[in-house]
Amino acid sequence: MSTERYNAREAEPRWQRIWDERGIFRTRNDDPRPKYYVLEMFPYPSGRIHIGHGRNYVMGDVVARFKRMKGFNVLHPMGWDAFGLPAENAAIERNSHPGIWTYENIDTMRGQLKLLGLSLDWSREIATCDPSYYGEQQRIFLAFLKAGIAYRRESEVNWDPVDHTVLANEQVIDGRGWRSGAVVERRKLAQWFFRISDAAQELLDGLDTLERWPDKVRLMQRNWIGRSEGLHVRFAVQGPAPLSEIKVYTTRPDTLFGASFLALSPGHPLTEALAADDPALAAFVEDCRRGGTSTAEIETQEKMGFDTGLKVRHPLGGDPLPVYVANFVLMEYGTGAIFGCPAHDQRDLDFARKYALPVTPVVLPPGADPAAFAIDAIAYVEDGTLYQSGFLDGLAIPDAKEAVAVRLEGETLGGAPVGERAVNFRLRDWGISRQRYWGCPIPIIHCTACGPVPVPEAELPVRLPEDVSFDQPGNPLDRHPTWAHVACPACGGPARRETDTMDTFVDSSWYFARFAAEPGAVPLDSAAASHWLPVDQYIGGVEHAILHLLYARFFTRTLKKLGRLSVEEPFAGLFTQGMIVHETYRDAAGRWLFPEEVEKRADGTAVRIGTEEPVTVGAPEKMSKSKRNVVPPEAVAEGYGVDCARWFMLSDTPPERDSEWTQAGIEGAWRFVQRIWRLVGDCLALAGEPVARPDAFGAESTALRRAAHKLAAQVEEDIERLRFNVAVARVHSFTNLLNDAIVAARKGPVPADVAFALREAASFLVRVVAPMAPHLAEECWTVLGEAGLATQAPWPEVEPALLVDDTVTLPIQINGKRRADITVPAAASPAEVERAVLALDAVVKALDGRAPKRIIVVPQRIVNVVA
RNA sequence: GCGGGUGUGGCGGAAUCGGUAGACGCGACGGACUCAAAAUCCGUUUCUGGUGACAGAGUGUCGGUUCGAGUCCGACCACCCGCACCA
């Protein structure tokens, strides 16, 4: 038996160097093998990675390595989502440039990722802050502009009145600026948008084609797009008013006879027109504006209304309705105006109770007494039958909706139909302007004479100036002495560059297409992208289920329409992995401690190493720098080796769930790595020199070969289905069996068939673990005397005959309870099985001479005797 | 509030189609080796009763369908996630 341990610390860097020197992860676009594109969501270079970041890269790496062994030409690239606010914050703190911090972090993190032994094609590495990348993005922007997909309009931003700066939503904390603490105001600025709402229907329909996406993510996108079907209804305003009609959107036209008011959004044009002559209304609108933008605040906000004094005619002949301005009506959805039916909508009911408006129920619950039914504090929103509703009385809700639609489509107001069927989406256009420095400049020049003029293509990229300072609040591009001041490309007159930059979600909306291009090629190479897209397996956190994935889908569809890409959907397969969590530790003073500062005692308590002071152990949480519950990859690599870290990450917990990082777990992985090393050595020592395949195999060698071939077949399926934890369990199971075989073989001289089976078992085992523990596999592969690299070895060839057993053991149930089992030839017919079962002692005893009522024989599965 | 998911030993979890519940690992306990320890190896480990063969119970709760339910159906409980004044 080999007593020498596997030395990961020595072997891992050695193999990484060899992989690197031979360039085996470099991918060529002209490789004739079938393509497979694996991608993990690229990281933001925030500083250093901890082991919690590594899980999705390791999972992607297992898939990439496995697919290579199966004969695919695999693309597995890596890059950096490098623009963003944290770099600017770092620049403010250090009084330096965001790019310095960003590129330092990229260097650090690249080294850390390399440490994990990932099979990445680093030659295709990109950073979105590289001018060659964002220059192409500017070209895309201009193409969008030309196609009418990008446009400019006024929109509200968070404005910090002390720092005189625009704040991102995450910089607004409890309604106040994160630095100044000042109450944030809403201000209107002209900003750029992408017309994603026009694509709402196709983005919704496209979800049905994404069969390899989690249902959960598809549902979240479906809800986010939020399609609803309803009716536009135009109400005529009585008497003199700035507008003669008000158009509302409703999904409940059936409740029109229960309407008791109309409500306008504070931002509605009619509201604005009325407020111009009505200081009280203007003050009310101002009041509504002051409320915070956070959802929590909106939720708790009380309903507020302002009676405009206007009345509208009821389109179906009911009483005239008063028109209010109400804080709960959104300008961005529908028409910015609603009709209120308090009896059947909770918000309308709350409003009606506050302002003493009538509450008329028009939908009667099934079986309710119309004379007794009344609405108190809860609106009735369930099924029912229409009543108190004229021509709708007696109809079910869907029929009433239809009847109202038909009737109002037939009525006219000012020459147009009163009612019009309409589909509404929750999805709004994507505002991409950010009043920030560290982002992709929007390639537009504003000319007082010509308006916004695109930067000519030849002048792209519009580069960010390097000489900027962050010692004052606001966007340094705004106060740069020369950068923004340029001549208008159209008229040559003095003009000013757009100083807004793009939302960083734009950067991540096409990077997967950028990776398709070989190094040095044009950034968005249509032919290369057609070859590689869609991504076969995309892996990332579920926190990107909506925005990033929706924007990337929108970009891909749009780029296809513009002839730049050939697919509509970027990601054929999506997997959302769980987080790695770790216990937290605090000392007596409540300070967070790093795991390496803490020693856990056998009695369950924990103390601080060195000082022996007691430590409070908190529940496992997402690894985060602030709580110090992080484990650096370097520490694991030096202590146990990265294969142990990889193995542990894949073990036990299903990949979509959160997984707890523990000392015991990493030690278990270490033991297993050593066990594989030892078993491979043992197989070799027993088998001796390689032997030719024997003509016949005995029972012992056949059993071992069956197990090895089943292992390869099952792990293949497990990896295909990303069930890494199950794959790991199967490998464990196999090593238990292999160990038994080794112990048995030691008892005497090893026959040739057993020797062959032992070598084969070792070879299978090494290749099966190769995607998960690649360094160990290389070391074992060398020991086995195999030529080439394990990484480049083919996945074990499975002999189908070895996957089926010739006998099968069936459990025997009597009245549904397991009482015995029976081993029969796998080919036995149900009748033969039944005969054998009836002869069993336990069955004879249970039947006690009577005939069984029924016998159910499920071939290969179970037999149930009903006595 | 709306939508979705999850619930199995001390712990992480396994269980194609409804077919032996608890694979595999961790932990624990016992043993071998050792002067001793570490490492390694072997064994036990759902609960209850029994020395034991064995018997009974058991997959959040209650009920149902079925020869047979962790799996299907109905009601409920708990936790988690997403959205949230979307008319």
Side-chain angles (χ1 to χ4, degrees), chain A residues 398-415:
Chain A
D399 299 334
K401 284 181 179 174
E402 181 61 24
V404 171
V406 168
R407 169 76 64 100
L408 293 183
E409 278 168 335
E411 310 257 326
T412 57
L413 177 63

Side-chain angles (χ1 to χ4, degrees), chain A residues 790-854:
Chain A
T791 305
Q792 293 179 299
W795 189 255
E797 188 96 20
V798 172
E799 292 176 24
L802 288 172
L803 299 182
V804 283
D805 295 310
D806 20 64
T807 63
V808 57
T809 299
L810 301 175
I812 309 302
Q813 292 183 334
I814 295 168
N815 294 330
K817 286 201 184 291
R818 184 175 172 279
R819 293 296 181 205
D821 49 40
I822 187 172
T823 300
V824 294
S829 70
E832 287 168 330
V833 172
E834 194 174 318
R835 215 173 310 130
V837 165
L838 287 174
L840 285 172
D841 280 354
V843 175
V844 170
K845 212 174 286 174
L847 289 174
D848 196 22
R850 297 180 306 264
K853 284 197 190 115
R854 207 175 149 185

